[in-house]
Amino acid sequence: MTTEAWEPGAFRARIDEVLHRFVAEEADLLVDVDPSLGPVAAQLEAAVAHGKRLRAAFCYWGWRGAGQPDSPALLRAAASMELVHAAAVVHDDLIDDSPLRHGRPTAHRALRRAVPHHPRAGAAARSLAMLVGDLLMSLAGQLFVTSGLPAAYLSRARPLWAALARELVAGECLEILRTGAAPDTAASLKVVRYKTAKYTVEQPLLIGGTLAGAAPRLSEGYSAYALPLGEAFQLRDDLLGLFGDPVRTGKSDADDLRGRRPTALLAETWRLADLAQRGRLTALLDGDGEDRGGLEEVRALMRGLRAPERVEAMIASRVDEALGALDALDAPRATVSALTSLAHSASTRLS
C-alpha cells in the first residue's frame, strides 16, 4: 500500500490478513482443548470474516497524523480495534436477539446447532455466544499488547483502552435502560455517543495518536472531528436499520422496532407526532413484532412526519462539524485527506 495515499481496499486487505491469521490460530488452539469446541471456534472466525475496517483505519491515521510512518506493528495494533468491534457485535446481537448479521445467522442463533441435546438449547446457545464475545474482547487486548510496538508506546495508551471498554459498556447499558421508555431525542443521542461514536471513531483515533506520541492539541482536534462523525455513523445505521435494503445491510429491517430500541429516529417521530399519532405508534410498537403490515404503517407514519429527513439533517450537520474540525487540524496532508474520505464513507454508506 502506498503510504502517502489512502487506498481503502488495500488497507482492508492488510487488516484482514492480520485478523484472519491471528483468529485462525486462536481458533485452532481452542479446538486443541477439545474437538467439541469446533462450533465455538467457527464463530470466532465468523465474527471477523466481514467488515469495512473503519475502526482500524481511524487508529492507523491517528498514528500517521502524529508524524509516524507506516508500520506492520501499528497495523496489528490497529487490527485489535476490529476485535473490539467483533466482540461488541456478538454481544449486541445477543442483547437484542437479532437473527441476522451480514445475511447469516448471528452467533447465538448459529450455536443452537451445537447443543441439540441440551435441555435448554436456546439458553445454552446464548451462553456460548456470550463467551465468544468475551473471548474476542480478550483477544483484542492480546493482539494489541503483542503488536510489536515498544512497551513505552503501549503503556501510554493503556488508559484509553480502559476508557474504551468503560464507555462501550456504558453505552450498551444506557440503551438497555432506555429501551421501552418514553422516546427522548437527547437520551437517544447520548446512547449513540457512548454505544457507538466513541469506540468507532474517537477512541481508535486517540489510541493511534497516543501510541505515536501526539501532542494534546492534536488529540483535541481528533476528538472534535471524531465525536460528531461517530454520531453521524450511528444515525445512518438507525436509518438503514428501518429504511435500508436488508439484502445490502444483511440485517432484519424489523429489529429496532421489535426491540423498542431508543433510536433517534423513533424519538424524533415521537416528538413530531400529535396525540393520536402517538397513540397509534404505541399500539403498533406494542403489537406483533413480526407483523409486516404494522412495520409498513410505522414507516409511513415516520415518513409523513418527516422524521427521516430530521435524522438526515442531524447526520449532515455532524459531518459538516467533523469536516470543519479537519480544517483546523495540524496534521499531514495525507492524514487530512484520508480522514475526509473516511468521513464520507462512514456517513453515506448503504450497508
Side-chain angles (χ1 to χ4, degrees), residues 55-87:
R55 294 156 187 85
F58 286 121
C59 184
Y60 176 85
W61 286 106
W63 165 272
R64 294 294 308 281
Q68 293 281 11
D70 184 85
S71 158
L74 186 278
L75 205 74
R76 286 173 58 83
S80 72
M81 302 291 105
E82 297 299 327
L83 288 172
V84 171
H85 176 54

PDB file of all heavy atoms in Angstrom, residues 55-87:
ATOM      1  N   ARG A  55     -12.634   1.116  12.039  1.00  0.00           N
ATOM      2  CA  ARG A  55     -12.004   1.387  13.329  1.00  0.00           C
ATOM      3  C   ARG A  55     -10.490   1.236  13.240  1.00  0.00           C
ATOM      4  O   ARG A  55      -9.743   2.025  13.815  1.00  0.00           O
ATOM      5  CB  ARG A  55     -12.618   0.475  14.393  1.00  0.00           C
ATOM      6  CG  ARG A  55     -14.089   0.813  14.633  1.00  0.00           C
ATOM      7  CD  ARG A  55     -14.886  -0.351  15.188  1.00  0.00           C
ATOM      8  NE  ARG A  55     -16.317  -0.013  15.239  1.00  0.00           N
ATOM      9  CZ  ARG A  55     -17.156  -0.145  14.203  1.00  0.00           C
ATOM     10  NH1 ARG A  55     -16.718  -0.634  13.044  1.00  0.00           N
ATOM     11  NH2 ARG A  55     -18.418   0.196  14.317  1.00  0.00           N
ATOM     12  N   ALA A  56     -10.063   0.224  12.515  1.00  0.00           N
ATOM     13  CA  ALA A  56      -8.626   0.063  12.286  1.00  0.00           C
ATOM     14  C   ALA A  56      -8.067   1.248  11.499  1.00  0.00           C
ATOM     15  O   ALA A  56      -6.958   1.727  11.766  1.00  0.00           O
ATOM     16  CB  ALA A  56      -8.354  -1.242  11.547  1.00  0.00           C
ATOM     17  N   ALA A  57      -8.837   1.717  10.526  1.00  0.00           N
ATOM     18  CA  ALA A  57      -8.389   2.845   9.707  1.00  0.00           C
ATOM     19  C   ALA A  57      -8.227   4.106  10.548  1.00  0.00           C
ATOM     20  O   ALA A  57      -7.252   4.858  10.387  1.00  0.00           O
ATOM     21  CB  ALA A  57      -9.373   3.090   8.566  1.00  0.00           C
ATOM     22  N   PHE A  58      -9.173   4.350  11.442  1.00  0.00           N
ATOM     23  CA  PHE A  58      -9.051   5.546  12.284  1.00  0.00           C
ATOM     24  C   PHE A  58      -7.832   5.444  13.197  1.00  0.00           C
ATOM     25  O   PHE A  58      -7.123   6.436  13.413  1.00  0.00           O
ATOM     26  CB  PHE A  58     -10.330   5.755  13.099  1.00  0.00           C
ATOM     27  CG  PHE A  58     -11.485   6.268  12.287  1.00  0.00           C
ATOM     28  CD1 PHE A  58     -12.670   5.557  12.207  1.00  0.00           C
ATOM     29  CD2 PHE A  58     -11.379   7.463  11.593  1.00  0.00           C
ATOM     30  CE1 PHE A  58     -13.743   6.018  11.447  1.00  0.00           C
ATOM     31  CE2 PHE A  58     -12.435   7.945  10.826  1.00  0.00           C
ATOM     32  CZ  PHE A  58     -13.618   7.223  10.750  1.00  0.00           C
ATOM     33  N   CYS A  59      -7.574   4.257  13.739  1.00  0.00           N
ATOM     34  CA  CYS A  59      -6.386   4.079  14.574  1.00  0.00           C
ATOM     35  C   CYS A  59      -5.118   4.319  13.756  1.00  0.00           C
ATOM     36  O   CYS A  59      -4.190   5.011  14.197  1.00  0.00           O
ATOM     37  CB  CYS A  59      -6.386   2.673  15.167  1.00  0.00           C
ATOM     38  SG  CYS A  59      -5.027   2.354  16.316  1.00  0.00           S
ATOM     39  N   TYR A  60      -5.094   3.777  12.558  1.00  0.00           N
ATOM     40  CA  TYR A  60      -3.931   3.921  11.679  1.00  0.00           C
ATOM     41  C   TYR A  60      -3.655   5.394  11.374  1.00  0.00           C
ATOM     42  O   TYR A  60      -2.511   5.863  11.477  1.00  0.00           O
ATOM     43  CB  TYR A  60      -4.180   3.142  10.384  1.00  0.00           C
ATOM     44  CG  TYR A  60      -3.096   3.294   9.347  1.00  0.00           C
ATOM     45  CD1 TYR A  60      -1.964   2.480   9.378  1.00  0.00           C
ATOM     46  CD2 TYR A  60      -3.200   4.239   8.321  1.00  0.00           C
ATOM     47  CE1 TYR A  60      -0.966   2.604   8.422  1.00  0.00           C
ATOM     48  CE2 TYR A  60      -2.205   4.373   7.362  1.00  0.00           C
ATOM     49  CZ  TYR A  60      -1.089   3.554   7.420  1.00  0.00           C
ATOM     50  OH  TYR A  60      -0.100   3.686   6.471  1.00  0.00           O
ATOM     51  N   TRP A  61      -4.705   6.135  11.014  1.00  0.00           N
ATOM     52  CA  TRP A  61      -4.486   7.526  10.648  1.00  0.00           C
ATOM     53  C   TRP A  61      -4.284   8.419  11.868  1.00  0.00           C
ATOM     54  O   TRP A  61      -3.695   9.506  11.759  1.00  0.00           O
ATOM     55  CB  TRP A  61      -5.603   8.028   9.738  1.00  0.00           C
ATOM     56  CG  TRP A  61      -5.446   7.447   8.371  1.00  0.00           C
ATOM     57  CD1 TRP A  61      -6.186   6.470   7.786  1.00  0.00           C
ATOM     58  CD2 TRP A  61      -4.422   7.778   7.424  1.00  0.00           C
ATOM     59  NE1 TRP A  61      -5.708   6.165   6.541  1.00  0.00           N
ATOM     60  CE2 TRP A  61      -4.624   6.959   6.291  1.00  0.00           C
ATOM     61  CE3 TRP A  61      -3.361   8.688   7.407  1.00  0.00           C
ATOM     62  CZ2 TRP A  61      -3.793   7.013   5.163  1.00  0.00           C
ATOM     63  CZ3 TRP A  61      -2.542   8.751   6.292  1.00  0.00           C
ATOM     64  CH2 TRP A  61      -2.762   7.925   5.195  1.00  0.00           C
ATOM     65  N   GLY A  62      -4.727   7.979  13.039  1.00  0.00           N
ATOM     66  CA  GLY A  62      -4.366   8.691  14.260  1.00  0.00           C
ATOM     67  C   GLY A  62      -2.864   8.637  14.478  1.00  0.00           C
ATOM     68  O   GLY A  62      -2.238   9.624  14.891  1.00  0.00           O
ATOM     69  N   TRP A  63      -2.276   7.491  14.183  1.00  0.00           N
ATOM     70  CA  TRP A  63      -0.823   7.292  14.258  1.00  0.00           C
ATOM     71  C   TRP A  63      -0.100   8.119  13.191  1.00  0.00           C
ATOM     72  O   TRP A  63       0.848   8.845  13.476  1.00  0.00           O
ATOM     73  CB  TRP A  63      -0.560   5.805  14.092  1.00  0.00           C
ATOM     74  CG  TRP A  63       0.840   5.355  13.785  1.00  0.00           C
ATOM     75  CD1 TRP A  63       1.402   5.227  12.550  1.00  0.00           C
ATOM     76  CD2 TRP A  63       1.831   4.909  14.731  1.00  0.00           C
ATOM     77  NE1 TRP A  63       2.687   4.731  12.647  1.00  0.00           N
ATOM     78  CE2 TRP A  63       2.979   4.525  13.977  1.00  0.00           C
ATOM     79  CE3 TRP A  63       1.873   4.802  16.114  1.00  0.00           C
ATOM     80  CZ2 TRP A  63       4.135   4.032  14.575  1.00  0.00           C
ATOM     81  CZ3 TRP A  63       3.030   4.301  16.709  1.00  0.00           C
ATOM     82  CH2 TRP A  63       4.137   3.938  15.952  1.00  0.00           C
ATOM     83  N   ARG A  64      -0.570   8.007  11.967  1.00  0.00           N
ATOM     84  CA  ARG A  64       0.085   8.713  10.860  1.00  0.00           C
ATOM     85  C   ARG A  64      -0.023  10.230  11.042  1.00  0.00           C
ATOM     86  O   ARG A  64       0.900  10.969  10.689  1.00  0.00           O
ATOM     87  CB  ARG A  64      -0.536   8.301   9.525  1.00  0.00           C
ATOM     88  CG  ARG A  64      -0.306   6.841   9.129  1.00  0.00           C
ATOM     89  CD  ARG A  64       1.161   6.531   8.858  1.00  0.00           C
ATOM     90  NE  ARG A  64       1.726   7.461   7.916  1.00  0.00           N
ATOM     91  CZ  ARG A  64       1.554   7.404   6.578  1.00  0.00           C
ATOM     92  NH1 ARG A  64       0.823   6.425   6.065  1.00  0.00           N
ATOM     93  NH2 ARG A  64       2.111   8.291   5.795  1.00  0.00           N
ATOM     94  N   GLY A  65      -1.149  10.690  11.579  1.00  0.00           N
ATOM     95  CA  GLY A  65      -1.342  12.125  11.764  1.00  0.00           C
ATOM     96  C   GLY A  65      -0.373  12.732  12.749  1.00  0.00           C
ATOM     97  O   GLY A  65      -0.128  13.942  12.717  1.00  0.00           O
ATOM     98  N   ALA A  66       0.186  11.897  13.629  1.00  0.00           N
ATOM     99  CA  ALA A  66       1.175  12.382  14.590  1.00  0.00           C
ATOM    100  C   ALA A  66       2.592  12.287  14.037  1.00  0.00           C
ATOM    101  O   ALA A  66       3.566  12.473  14.779  1.00  0.00           O
ATOM    102  CB  ALA A  66       1.069  11.595  15.892  1.00  0.00           C
ATOM    103  N   GLY A  67       2.706  11.986  12.736  1.00  0.00           N
ATOM    104  CA  GLY A  67       4.009  12.014  12.094  1.00  0.00           C
ATOM    105  C   GLY A  67       4.736  10.692  12.023  1.00  0.00           C
ATOM    106  O   GLY A  67       5.895  10.643  11.580  1.00  0.00           O
ATOM    107  N   GLN A  68       4.091   9.606  12.414  1.00  0.00           N
ATOM    108  CA  GLN A  68       4.736   8.302  12.381  1.00  0.00           C
ATOM    109  C   GLN A  68       4.538   7.638  11.020  1.00  0.00           C
ATOM    110  O   GLN A  68       3.501   7.838  10.366  1.00  0.00           O
ATOM    111  CB  GLN A  68       4.176   7.407  13.479  1.00  0.00           C
ATOM    112  CG  GLN A  68       4.514   7.852  14.888  1.00  0.00           C
ATOM    113  CD  GLN A  68       5.924   7.465  15.306  1.00  0.00           C
ATOM    114  OE1 GLN A  68       6.740   7.031  14.488  1.00  0.00           O
ATOM    115  NE2 GLN A  68       6.225   7.638  16.584  1.00  0.00           N
ATOM    116  N   PRO A  69       5.497   6.805  10.588  1.00  0.00           N
ATOM    117  CA  PRO A  69       5.387   6.147   9.276  1.00  0.00           C
ATOM    118  C   PRO A  69       4.535   4.886   9.340  1.00  0.00           C
ATOM    119  O   PRO A  69       4.203   4.394  10.428  1.00  0.00           O
ATOM    120  CB  PRO A  69       6.840   5.792   8.954  1.00  0.00           C
ATOM    121  CG  PRO A  69       7.449   5.520  10.296  1.00  0.00           C
ATOM    122  CD  PRO A  69       6.798   6.527  11.233  1.00  0.00           C
ATOM    123  N   ASP A  70       4.190   4.372   8.171  1.00  0.00           N
ATOM    124  CA  ASP A  70       3.504   3.083   8.085  1.00  0.00           C
ATOM    125  C   ASP A  70       4.331   2.035   8.820  1.00  0.00           C
ATOM    126  O   ASP A  70       5.559   2.021   8.727  1.00  0.00           O
ATOM    127  CB  ASP A  70       3.344   2.697   6.614  1.00  0.00           C
ATOM    128  CG  ASP A  70       2.556   1.420   6.448  1.00  0.00           C
ATOM    129  OD1 ASP A  70       1.324   1.497   6.419  1.00  0.00           O
ATOM    130  OD2 ASP A  70       3.178   0.340   6.355  1.00  0.00           O
ATOM    131  N   SER A  71       3.637   1.163   9.564  1.00  0.00           N
ATOM    132  CA  SER A  71       4.340   0.205  10.414  1.00  0.00           C
ATOM    133  C   SER A  71       3.548  -1.081  10.538  1.00  0.00           C
ATOM    134  O   SER A  71       2.364  -1.049  10.894  1.00  0.00           O
ATOM    135  CB  SER A  71       4.543   0.816  11.809  1.00  0.00           C
ATOM    136  OG  SER A  71       4.751  -0.168  12.787  1.00  0.00           O
ATOM    137  N   PRO A  72       4.163  -2.249  10.271  1.00  0.00           N
ATOM    138  CA  PRO A  72       3.458  -3.520  10.469  1.00  0.00           C
ATOM    139  C   PRO A  72       2.993  -3.704  11.915  1.00  0.00           C
ATOM    140  O   PRO A  72       1.920  -4.266  12.160  1.00  0.00           O
ATOM    141  CB  PRO A  72       4.503  -4.565  10.073  1.00  0.00           C
ATOM    142  CG  PRO A  72       5.422  -3.855   9.131  1.00  0.00           C
ATOM    143  CD  PRO A  72       5.486  -2.444   9.657  1.00  0.00           C
ATOM    144  N   ALA A  73       3.781  -3.239  12.872  1.00  0.00           N
ATOM    145  CA  ALA A  73       3.390  -3.366  14.279  1.00  0.00           C
ATOM    146  C   ALA A  73       2.150  -2.528  14.569  1.00  0.00           C
ATOM    147  O   ALA A  73       1.230  -2.966  15.264  1.00  0.00           O
ATOM    148  CB  ALA A  73       4.546  -2.948  15.185  1.00  0.00           C
ATOM    149  N   LEU A  74       2.134  -1.294  14.039  1.00  0.00           N
ATOM    150  CA  LEU A  74       0.958  -0.456  14.242  1.00  0.00           C
ATOM    151  C   LEU A  74      -0.261  -1.075  13.572  1.00  0.00           C
ATOM    152  O   LEU A  74      -1.376  -1.003  14.098  1.00  0.00           O
ATOM    153  CB  LEU A  74       1.209   0.955  13.691  1.00  0.00           C
ATOM    154  CG  LEU A  74       0.131   2.021  13.938  1.00  0.00           C
ATOM    155  CD1 LEU A  74      -1.003   1.956  12.951  1.00  0.00           C
ATOM    156  CD2 LEU A  74      -0.405   1.956  15.374  1.00  0.00           C
ATOM    157  N   LEU A  75      -0.052  -1.723  12.417  1.00  0.00           N
ATOM    158  CA  LEU A  75      -1.163  -2.366  11.732  1.00  0.00           C
ATOM    159  C   LEU A  75      -1.801  -3.432  12.621  1.00  0.00           C
ATOM    160  O   LEU A  75      -3.026  -3.570  12.662  1.00  0.00           O
ATOM    161  CB  LEU A  75      -0.683  -2.990  10.420  1.00  0.00           C
ATOM    162  CG  LEU A  75      -1.761  -3.146   9.343  1.00  0.00           C
ATOM    163  CD1 LEU A  75      -2.091  -1.799   8.730  1.00  0.00           C
ATOM    164  CD2 LEU A  75      -1.289  -4.109   8.261  1.00  0.00           C
ATOM    165  N   ARG A  76      -0.984  -4.185  13.352  1.00  0.00           N
ATOM    166  CA  ARG A  76      -1.522  -5.193  14.276  1.00  0.00           C
ATOM    167  C   ARG A  76      -2.277  -4.526  15.418  1.00  0.00           C
ATOM    168  O   ARG A  76      -3.358  -4.978  15.815  1.00  0.00           O
ATOM    169  CB  ARG A  76      -0.387  -6.058  14.825  1.00  0.00           C
ATOM    170  CG  ARG A  76       0.170  -7.050  13.817  1.00  0.00           C
ATOM    171  CD  ARG A  76       1.404  -7.766  14.347  1.00  0.00           C
ATOM    172  NE  ARG A  76       1.161  -8.475  15.595  1.00  0.00           N
ATOM    173  CZ  ARG A  76       0.626  -9.706  15.691  1.00  0.00           C
ATOM    174  NH1 ARG A  76       0.270 -10.351  14.585  1.00  0.00           N
ATOM    175  NH2 ARG A  76       0.452 -10.279  16.861  1.00  0.00           N
ATOM    176  N   ALA A  77      -1.726  -3.441  15.939  1.00  0.00           N
ATOM    177  CA  ALA A  77      -2.429  -2.712  16.999  1.00  0.00           C
ATOM    178  C   ALA A  77      -3.758  -2.178  16.488  1.00  0.00           C
ATOM    179  O   ALA A  77      -4.789  -2.237  17.172  1.00  0.00           O
ATOM    180  CB  ALA A  77      -1.552  -1.581  17.532  1.00  0.00           C
ATOM    181  N   ALA A  78      -3.755  -1.653  15.258  1.00  0.00           N
ATOM    182  CA  ALA A  78      -4.991  -1.129  14.674  1.00  0.00           C
ATOM    183  C   ALA A  78      -6.005  -2.242  14.458  1.00  0.00           C
ATOM    184  O   ALA A  78      -7.214  -2.050  14.660  1.00  0.00           O
ATOM    185  CB  ALA A  78      -4.679  -0.424  13.354  1.00  0.00           C
ATOM    186  N   ALA A  79      -5.541  -3.415  14.049  1.00  0.00           N
ATOM    187  CA  ALA A  79      -6.445  -4.551  13.827  1.00  0.00           C
ATOM    188  C   ALA A  79      -7.151  -4.962  15.107  1.00  0.00           C
ATOM    189  O   ALA A  79      -8.275  -5.488  15.069  1.00  0.00           O
ATOM    190  CB  ALA A  79      -5.676  -5.728  13.240  1.00  0.00           C
ATOM    191  N   SER A  80      -6.517  -4.707  16.246  1.00  0.00           N
ATOM    192  CA  SER A  80      -7.165  -5.063  17.516  1.00  0.00           C
ATOM    193  C   SER A  80      -8.461  -4.285  17.722  1.00  0.00           C
ATOM    194  O   SER A  80      -9.375  -4.757  18.419  1.00  0.00           O
ATOM    195  CB  SER A  80      -6.211  -4.825  18.689  1.00  0.00           C
ATOM    196  OG  SER A  80      -6.016  -3.440  18.940  1.00  0.00           O
ATOM    197  N   MET A  81      -8.575  -3.094  17.114  1.00  0.00           N
ATOM    198  CA  MET A  81      -9.818  -2.329  17.209  1.00  0.00           C
ATOM    199  C   MET A  81     -10.977  -3.094  16.573  1.00  0.00           C
ATOM    200  O   MET A  81     -12.130  -2.987  17.004  1.00  0.00           O
ATOM    201  CB  MET A  81      -9.675  -0.972  16.502  1.00  0.00           C
ATOM    202  CG  MET A  81      -8.576  -0.059  17.004  1.00  0.00           C
ATOM    203  SD  MET A  81      -8.863   0.602  18.652  1.00  0.00           S
ATOM    204  CE  MET A  81      -7.704  -0.405  19.586  1.00  0.00           C
ATOM    205  N   GLU A  82     -10.666  -3.883  15.540  1.00  0.00           N
ATOM    206  CA  GLU A  82     -11.710  -4.668  14.878  1.00  0.00           C
ATOM    207  C   GLU A  82     -12.156  -5.844  15.739  1.00  0.00           C
ATOM    208  O   GLU A  82     -13.308  -6.289  15.631  1.00  0.00           O
ATOM    209  CB  GLU A  82     -11.215  -5.158  13.520  1.00  0.00           C
ATOM    210  CG  GLU A  82     -10.902  -4.040  12.536  1.00  0.00           C
ATOM    211  CD  GLU A  82     -12.119  -3.184  12.217  1.00  0.00           C
ATOM    212  OE1 GLU A  82     -13.257  -3.723  12.194  1.00  0.00           O
ATOM    213  OE2 GLU A  82     -11.943  -1.971  11.985  1.00  0.00           O
ATOM    214  N   LEU A  83     -11.278  -6.348  16.584  1.00  0.00           N
ATOM    215  CA  LEU A  83     -11.688  -7.400  17.514  1.00  0.00           C
ATOM    216  C   LEU A  83     -12.582  -6.839  18.615  1.00  0.00           C
ATOM    217  O   LEU A  83     -13.503  -7.525  19.081  1.00  0.00           O
ATOM    218  CB  LEU A  83     -10.454  -8.086  18.117  1.00  0.00           C
ATOM    219  CG  LEU A  83      -9.684  -8.983  17.155  1.00  0.00           C
ATOM    220  CD1 LEU A  83      -8.385  -9.462  17.792  1.00  0.00           C
ATOM    221  CD2 LEU A  83     -10.534 -10.174  16.721  1.00  0.00           C
ATOM    222  N   VAL A  84     -12.319  -5.604  19.037  1.00  0.00           N
ATOM    223  CA  VAL A  84     -13.241  -4.944  19.966  1.00  0.00           C
ATOM    224  C   VAL A  84     -14.623  -4.854  19.322  1.00  0.00           C
ATOM    225  O   VAL A  84     -15.644  -5.159  19.954  1.00  0.00           O
ATOM    226  CB  VAL A  84     -12.729  -3.539  20.345  1.00  0.00           C
ATOM    227  CG1 VAL A  84     -13.787  -2.770  21.142  1.00  0.00           C
ATOM    228  CG2 VAL A  84     -11.433  -3.633  21.136  1.00  0.00           C
ATOM    229  N   HIS A  85     -14.649  -4.441  18.068  1.00  0.00           N
ATOM    230  CA  HIS A  85     -15.918  -4.327  17.361  1.00  0.00           C
ATOM    231  C   HIS A  85     -16.601  -5.684  17.219  1.00  0.00           C
ATOM    232  O   HIS A  85     -17.813  -5.799  17.417  1.00  0.00           O
ATOM    233  CB  HIS A  85     -15.679  -3.710  15.981  1.00  0.00           C
ATOM    234  CG  HIS A  85     -16.906  -3.624  15.137  1.00  0.00           C
ATOM    235  ND1 HIS A  85     -18.066  -3.013  15.557  1.00  0.00           N
ATOM    236  CD2 HIS A  85     -17.171  -4.092  13.877  1.00  0.00           C
ATOM    237  CE1 HIS A  85     -18.984  -3.090  14.610  1.00  0.00           C
ATOM    238  NE2 HIS A  85     -18.475  -3.752  13.587  1.00  0.00           N
ATOM    239  N   ALA A  86     -15.833  -6.710  16.873  1.00  0.00           N
ATOM    240  CA  ALA A  86     -16.411  -8.051  16.735  1.00  0.00           C
ATOM    241  C   ALA A  86     -17.036  -8.510  18.049  1.00  0.00           C
ATOM    242  O   ALA A  86     -18.130  -9.084  18.063  1.00  0.00           O
ATOM    243  CB  ALA A  86     -15.334  -9.039  16.280  1.00  0.00           C
ATOM    244  N   ALA A  87     -16.360  -8.248  19.149  1.00  0.00           N
ATOM    245  CA  ALA A  87     -16.906  -8.602  20.458  1.00  0.00           C
ATOM    246  C   ALA A  87     -18.193  -7.835  20.725  1.00  0.00           C
ATOM    247  O   ALA A  87     -19.193  -8.404  21.199  1.00  0.00           O
ATOM    248  CB  ALA A  87     -15.878  -8.298  21.549  1.00  0.00           C
TER     249      ALA A  87
END
